[in-house]
Amino acid sequence: MGKILLTALGGVTQNYRATNYSIEGKEYSDKKFILSALDEHYSFDKIFVLGTTSSMWDAFYEHICDVTETPSSVEDYMFINNQCSLANHETNFSDIDLTPITNIIPEKYNLKFMKFGISEFEMIENLKLLMEITENLDKEHEIYLDLTHGFRSNAFYMFMVMNYINDVKDSNDAIKGIFYGMHESKLNPTPILNLKIFSEISNLLKGVHDIKNYGNFYTITNSIEDIKIKNKLDNFSNSLNINYIGEVKNRLNELNNIIKALRETDNPLINMIVPKALNEFLDKFSNIKNNQTFLLEISKWYYEQKKYATSYLTMREAITAFFCDKYLGSSTKENIEEANSKINTLHNSYRNTSKIEKLDPSYKKMEKLLQIFRKCREIRNNIAHSGDQKLNAINDINNIPKYIDELNILFKDKDFANYLKNRLTFFND
């Protein structure tokens, strides 16, 4: 495991004043270059130094002379200073000769030229450079970012790097420090702040996004230290993702206790952000009294998360739960089997219904119920058996909210419930 620093240089100038810095309560005196204090404190294994053609490579030269205990040369210093002072955004990297630096620089330093970023093309080139740097880093590396110098836009580049490392490289714990030397505080010593809290906030907001859009608590649990809470949230996600609806319903009751515990945590970021996200998720399913309505709400939620197959599977279970609730009393294993048998009986018999009975409005409702049930079964069979029959995915997806609305209406229709009960009684007789 190595410590990696990415730092940017500010603009060239001839007025460098020695500054006292403080890091985590420890003072570093008479430093002309913030990198000196950072490296002395953290002992980095590799340092990427980023700068434009007009950056303060002259000051960096003096830093390298100090590091290597090489006497600095006024001629070499002015040679670099003159080049950088005359350079602008049109100056080619190859026109800047940093030989006085590269001749003495230790191996752990890696110099990289960045563009000024005054066009979209240059911004993309800068991002490409930073991505290439991070691509060559391992997950085991500890990464530190220094935002103190350089263009103000460099801070945005660094935060893009932070998000890339966290989200694309999937190295949530890799960012160990985001530094900013607060010279404008006019304090002595100048405090070097660790803004790692912004990385933590970014991870929490991503976790909230995953809860709202995918119902996954995995990302948010990376920021929670309490093992019991972490495990409960992970288990809830597991139940939801495997569609174990019984477990989901039972675990929803635990969320209220988790929300209360998170509000009492010592981490102000956690109790400010996470409970609200959990409450919003919980509100979707609170105050639902019967299984069929709960399952329809879950089916709707799966649809909103673009988990269309699971939405259909859950919709089918809602129809079964409706029969269990209205005619069998509860959703036990035996009752579920019997409910599916009754649905199949209705399906096989309704086409033979007399012409007079077909005039009954409830018959049309039963026809609609069975149509939705058949579609759910068709999709379930196609998934289970890798069917190759011609299906229209777009139509089936677009029909989900319509089917859910229609089932919600049917489940609340007392006349329809009585009609089905009479038909089922007839078949039992």
Side-chain angles (χ1 to χ4, degrees):
M1 179 184 294
K3 294 181 179 180
I4 312 296
L5 174 68
L6 276 70
T7 184
L9 300 178
V12 65
T13 176
Q14 294 184 1
N15 299 315
Y16 301 113
R17 292 180 302 172
T19 303
N20 301 326
Y21 290 102
S22 66
I23 307 174
E24 298 177 337
K26 188 173 182 180
E27 184 171 338
Y28 297 88
S29 302
D30 299 322
K31 303 294 182 183
K32 286 188 176 181
F33 209 53
I34 191 172
L35 178 56
S36 304
L38 288 172
D39 194 22
E40 187 174 338
H41 187 81
Y42 289 98
S43 300
F44 298 111
D45 298 288
K46 196 167 191 65
I47 299 173
F48 290 91
V49 181
L50 312 170
T52 66
T53 54
S54 66
S55 288
M56 51 182 182
W57 293 106
D58 49 355
F60 181 69
Y61 163 73
E62 288 192 322
H63 165 73
I64 293 300
C65 288
D66 290 341
V67 169
T68 58
E69 298 181 349
T70 302
S72 63
S73 161
V74 174
E75 290 78 8
D76 286 341
Y77 174 88
M78 292 307 301
F79 173 72
I80 298 172
N81 178 273
N82 288 335
Q83 294 179 84
C84 296
S85 296
L86 296 172
N88 57 37
H89 69 279
E90 295 180 345
T91 305
N92 292 322
F93 297 153
S94 58
D95 293 335
I96 303 299
D97 185 356
L98 299 180
T99 302
I101 298 175
T102 56
N103 283 342
I104 62 173
I105 196 169
E107 286 188 9
K108 76 173 184 176
Y109 287 88
N110 197 318
L111 310 185
K112 297 289 184 181
F113 274 114
M114 294 181 70
K115 296 184 180 296
F116 279 66
I118 61 176
S119 68
E120 184 174 301
F121 170 77
E122 290 192 353
M123 293 177 197
I124 292 173
E125 287 296 299
N126 286 341
L127 284 173
K128 182 179 178 182
L129 169 66
L130 294 169
M131 299 310 171
E132 288 175 352
I133 292 174
T134 56
E135 275 302 312
N136 293 320
L137 303 180
D138 297 328
K139 288 187 176 181
E140 291 74 22
H141 282 133
E142 294 182 357
I143 300 174
Y144 299 80
L145 308 175
D146 174 26
L147 312 181
T148 305
H149 295 299
F151 297 125
R152 291 180 180 177
S153 58
N154 282 356
F156 292 98
Y157 290 124
M158 291 297 189
F159 276 103
M160 288 298 295
V161 169
M162 177 191 76
N163 289 332
Y164 183 80
I165 292 170
N166 286 340
D167 300 338
V168 179
K169 287 181 68 69
D170 196 24
S171 303
N172 288 325
D173 296 326
I175 304 292
K176 298 299 183 183
I178 303 173
F179 305 123
Y180 179 71
M182 188 171 275
H183 294 94
E184 60 266 44
S185 70
K186 298 182 180 179
L187 294 174
N188 187 15
T190 296
I192 297 179
L193 308 181
N194 189 341
L195 306 179
K196 186 175 181 291
I197 187 175
F198 291 111
S199 178
E200 296 170 5
I201 292 172
S202 177
N203 287 333
L204 282 173
L205 295 179
K206 182 175 182 292
V208 171
H209 173 271
D210 286 352
I211 292 174
K212 288 185 173 182
N213 291 280
Y214 310 113
N216 287 336
F217 295 82
Y218 305 121
T219 305
I220 212 82
T221 58
N222 290 330
S223 303
I224 296 175
E225 296 181 359
D226 190 302
I227 298 300
K228 289 183 179 179
I229 293 178
K230 186 189 294 279
N231 289 339
K232 286 180 179 180
L233 290 176
D234 282 341
N235 288 336
F236 183 85
S237 289
N238 293 337
S239 301
L240 197 58
N241 286 324
I242 202 171
N243 202 30
Y244 281 4
I245 301 301
E247 279 194 13
V248 170
K249 195 169 185 180
N250 291 332
R251 294 188 187 281
L252 278 172
N253 296 325
E254 294 180 345
L255 285 185
N256 280 316
N257 293 329
I258 291 174
I259 291 170
K260 182 179 179 181
L262 290 175
R263 284 199 176 114
E264 296 173 354
T265 183
D266 293 333
N267 187 324
L269 296 179
I270 294 290
N271 57 44
M272 178 175 62
I273 296 173
V274 181
K276 181 180 178 182
L278 295 182
N279 259 327
E280 289 178 0
F281 180 85
L282 189 60
D283 286 345
K284 292 178 181 289
F285 310 106
S286 60
N287 302 319
I288 299 177
K289 296 181 180 180
N290 56 60
N291 284 337
Q292 60 267 28
T293 306
F294 176 78
L295 287 165
L296 280 183
E297 195 62 35
I298 290 286
S299 177
K300 178 182 177 182
W301 182 84
Y302 278 130
Y303 167 76
E304 291 169 349
Q305 315 314 313
K306 296 180 171 55
K307 298 179 180 180
Y308 304 122
T310 311
S311 179
Y312 267 111
L313 294 176
T314 309
M315 198 187 309
R316 182 185 183 280
E317 293 305 311
I319 296 173
T320 302
F322 170 69
F323 276 78
C324 287
D325 181 65
K326 293 296 182 182
Y327 312 114
L328 299 171
S330 61
S331 296
T332 63
K333 180 180 179 180
E334 294 76 13
N335 285 350
I336 289 173
E337 292 177 356
E338 186 176 347
N340 285 326
S341 175
K342 289 182 181 296
I343 295 170
N344 287 326
T345 299
L346 282 174
H347 179 264
N348 295 331
S349 65
Y350 88 102
R351 292 184 183 278
N352 299 323
T353 306
S354 68
K355 292 182 180 180
I356 295 177
E357 187 176 345
K358 287 182 179 180
L359 297 176
D360 189 325
S362 290
Y363 172 82
K364 294 294 183 182
K365 296 174 183 177
M366 181 182 72
E367 195 172 33
K368 174 57 66 178
L369 177 73
L370 295 174
Q371 175 196 344
I372 298 173
F373 182 80
R374 283 198 307 274
K375 174 54 69 175
C376 294
R377 186 171 62 182
E378 178 185 61
I379 289 176
R380 181 264 173 201
N381 289 339
N382 195 54
I383 295 168
H385 305 297
S386 301
D388 57 0
Q389 63 263 41
K390 293 182 179 179
L391 299 173
N392 190 319
I394 298 300
N395 282 345
D396 289 340
I397 290 170
N398 291 338
N399 281 332
I400 292 175
K402 182 183 75 171
Y403 288 159
I404 291 173
D405 288 342
E406 289 173 342
L407 288 175
N408 259 319
I409 293 171
L410 290 175
F411 290 170
K412 297 173 183 177
D413 191 325
K414 294 182 179 179
D415 291 337
F416 176 61
N418 290 330
Y419 172 81
L420 282 183
K421 184 175 183 180
N422 291 334
R423 285 191 66 85
L424 293 171
T425 300
F426 172 79
F427 290 126
N428 288 337
D429 294 340

